Amino acid sequence: MRVYREVLLDAARALAADGDLNLRLSRVACCLIQLDDSDVPPRAMEAFERVRAPLIDKPLVVQGRLVPRDLDELKGRSVVRGLGDLVVAELGGA
């Protein structure tokens, strides 16, 4: 569970950084793909998949360069909100 928490925090930091949202979301994806499904608490798996799935449906790296996600504003906001919900659910009581 500690690995899960650390990765969520890394993903939140990547999201909070400066720059284009879709590029920051690519960095979030890089964090989330470090987790195996067994690292994610069963209670969080469905919400975690809703966040991770749209971020990894296309290659993250092309010709050695990180590729920005191409999420529209609505989907981008949904992913951002979902990540926030995961962080709060995991760390809210910590």
Side-chain angles (χ1 to χ4, degrees), residues 10-65:
D10 288 345
R13 286 184 199 102
L15 185 60
D18 291 335
D20 174 70
L21 176 60
N22 276 306
L23 186 54
R24 288 183 284 143
L25 288 172
S26 292
R27 292 182 184 119
V28 167
C30 289
C31 295
L32 299 182
I33 63 172
Q34 295 176 51
L35 293 170
D36 293 325
D37 287 352
S38 62
D39 295 326
V40 180
R43 63 179 156 59
M45 182 54 92
E46 186 177 330
F48 179 79
E49 278 300 318
R50 280 195 305 270
V51 171
R52 182 176 61 178
L55 298 177
I56 62 170
D57 66 345
K58 295 181 182 173
L60 282 169
V61 177
V62 174
Q63 296 181 344
R65 303 192 104 206

Side-chain angles (χ1 to χ4, degrees), residues 58-78:
K58 295 181 182 173
L60 282 169
V61 177
V62 174
Q63 296 181 344
R65 303 192 104 206
L66 187 63
V67 178
R69 304 297 78 199
D70 62 352
L71 302 180
D72 63 34
E73 185 176 344
L74 183 62
K75 189 62 180 173
R77 285 183 186 197
S78 175

